[in-house]
Amino acid sequence: GQSCSPAGGAPLPPQSLTMAYGTINNPLKPPRRRLLNIQGICLCIFLPWLAFVTLYTILTFSVAYQYPGFATACIVAGYLLVVLVFALAYRARRRDREPLWYNFFGWALLVAVTAATICGSLNHWHNMRPFYDIENLKTYPNIDPSVSLGQQTMDAGRVYFADHTCVEETKASWFKDNDVYCVAPIVMGRGPAQDRCNLRAKAGMDPVVPLTGTYDYWAVGVNCCSGVKPEFVKCGHPRQLRARSGLRMMKDEQRSFFRLAVQQAEVAYGIVANHPLFFYWTEDPVADMLEYRDEGFRYYLIGLFGHFAINALGTVFALVGFWKLGEMW
């Protein structure tokens, strides 16, 4: 049939019904409903998290170690993606659309990229990078510190010292700069291994002065000596029966402080250390090396689940807020 028309007039086309009856209480136009866009909500939960996982994985593990330029490019790409999302929000606003969800997605992505950059870099430098460094260095067995020069083992990551090698606690030294950086020379001691190289208590355990004339091997630790008197008991395992191995100290930010502690020992005890190498004195250097890797994986998993929980919680809060504003999508 024909469309409705005013009395005595020609029939009106269907598209003019709104003009004929007005925009208020139009029975042919359903009221606006606030729809819950499940797909969009899932995108806001999972896409920022996937961006975090991708960048966090790249910056934590071997990609950042082997290809640092590529890792930096990934960070830049992440922030460019954030700029793109905010540009879409601006475009939506110019089209008279409320860009609330665009803005939320942009901020969630910005938080994901920033958190992945910071957490991934910290985890890499403090845990995974020392593991990769030591793993790529050489292992030296049966090193006698009395005849081996530091220049001969500059590429050492793990060192297994000869029998009767010990830490000479009587020549321990330290340097304090907020933290206390403790050092003690690794020497060849006289006497059986069961004496534990306790040089202070056993008069017959005087150390052998290195034939090279230089003390190049040093056991180190942070905040494990008092800084008041020369002692090294709490640094590693200096008195453990089976401890006669060293794991290379790889933290560049600490190396200069250990060098200053060695210089103080040279002055205090009248010794020479031409090319000091720093090691953590340990029973099993392989197990200690793997602790770096395990710690890196632990923080990696904490980051994954932690970011997912925070991002999902933020999305729920945004959903509630937008529901109250009447802008579901």
Side-chain angles (χ1 to χ4, degrees):
Q2 293 182 338
S3 303
C4 301
S5 62
L12 293 176
Q15 60 269 25
S16 64
L17 289 175
T18 302
M19 295 181 60
Y21 289 95
T23 57
I24 303 177
N25 299 327
N26 184 354
L28 301 181
K29 183 179 180 181
R32 183 182 179 186
R33 298 175 61 189
R34 297 183 297 180
L35 301 178
L36 188 65
N37 192 330
I38 300 299
Q39 181 180 4
I41 293 172
C42 291
L43 290 178
C44 283
I45 292 176
F46 288 103
L47 283 185
W49 183 67
L50 288 177
F52 174 85
V53 171
T54 302
L55 189 57
Y56 189 37
T57 303
I58 291 173
L59 295 179
T60 296
F61 297 113
S62 59
V63 174
Y65 185 80
Q66 297 176 351
Y67 310 103
F70 175 75
T72 302
C74 290
I75 297 175
V76 175
Y79 282 110
L80 289 178
L81 184 60
V82 172
V83 173
L84 175 62
V85 172
F86 280 118
L88 292 175
Y90 176 74
R91 181 182 177 185
R93 182 181 294 276
R94 288 179 60 88
R95 292 185 176 183
D96 296 327
R97 295 172 56 191
E98 185 59 48
L100 292 178
W101 281 104
Y102 276 116
N103 287 334
F104 172 78
F105 182 72
W107 284 109
L109 193 60
L110 177 62
V111 170
V113 173
T114 303
T117 301
I118 295 174
C119 297
S121 299
L122 289 175
N123 195 14
H124 180 78
W125 280 99
H126 288 284
N127 295 307
M128 299 309 300
R129 189 175 187 86
F131 168 74
Y132 293 134
D133 284 340
I134 297 171
E135 189 179 42
N136 290 329
L137 292 175
K138 289 183 178 180
T139 300
Y140 284 89
N142 201 34
I143 292 296
D144 184 344
S146 66
V147 298
S148 178
L149 291 169
Q151 290 92 329
Q152 296 174 296
T153 56
M154 291 177 59
D155 56 351
R158 288 159 286 175
V159 172
Y160 296 89
F161 291 99
D163 289 340
H164 311 316
T165 302
C166 58
V167 176
E168 187 179 356
E169 299 174 42
T170 56
K171 287 186 172 61
S173 183
W174 68 88
F175 180 84
K176 186 173 183 179
D177 182 18
N178 293 323
D179 294 318
V180 180
Y181 298 88
C182 312
V183 298
I186 300 172
V187 298
M188 178 62 71
R190 294 193 182 98
Q194 58 266 26
D195 284 339
R196 301 188 181 185
C197 290
N198 189 351
L199 306 177
R200 293 179 299 181
K202 297 183 179 297
M205 282 286 292
D206 292 336
V208 174
V209 177
L211 299 178
T212 59
T214 174
Y215 290 79
D216 285 345
Y217 297 91
W218 292 78
V220 300
V222 178
N223 296 327
C224 55
C225 56
S226 66
V228 177
K229 59 181 180 179
E231 60 178 11
F232 203 77
V233 178
K234 298 179 182 179
C235 300
H237 310 280
R239 297 183 181 179
Q240 196 174 68
L241 282 172
R242 294 178 293 180
R244 57 180 180 86
S245 304
L247 182 70
R248 188 75 170 267
M249 194 285 301
M250 301 302 301
K251 296 182 178 180
D252 294 334
E253 68 274 13
Q254 295 181 353
R255 186 171 290 110
S256 60
F257 297 113
F258 287 128
R259 287 186 181 275
L260 291 173
V262 170
Q263 291 175 10
Q264 292 188 162
E266 290 181 282
V267 175
Y269 306 115
I271 59 177
V272 176
N274 290 331
H275 193 88
L277 301 179
F278 304 122
F279 297 89
Y280 298 112
W281 187 253
T282 179
E283 177 184 345
D284 189 351
V286 175
D288 290 348
M289 180 187 71
L290 293 178
E291 283 185 7
Y292 283 116
R293 183 199 63 184
D294 296 341
E295 194 75 357
F297 273 108
R298 187 172 73 88
Y299 281 108
Y300 175 72
L301 293 176
I302 290 174
L304 293 188
F305 292 109
H307 179 268
F308 181 82
I310 293 173
N311 186 65
L313 188 62
T315 303
V316 171
F317 286 152
L319 178 64
V320 173
F322 295 164
W323 178 275
K324 292 181 179 179
L325 291 175
E327 182 66 32
M328 289 310 300
W329 204 250

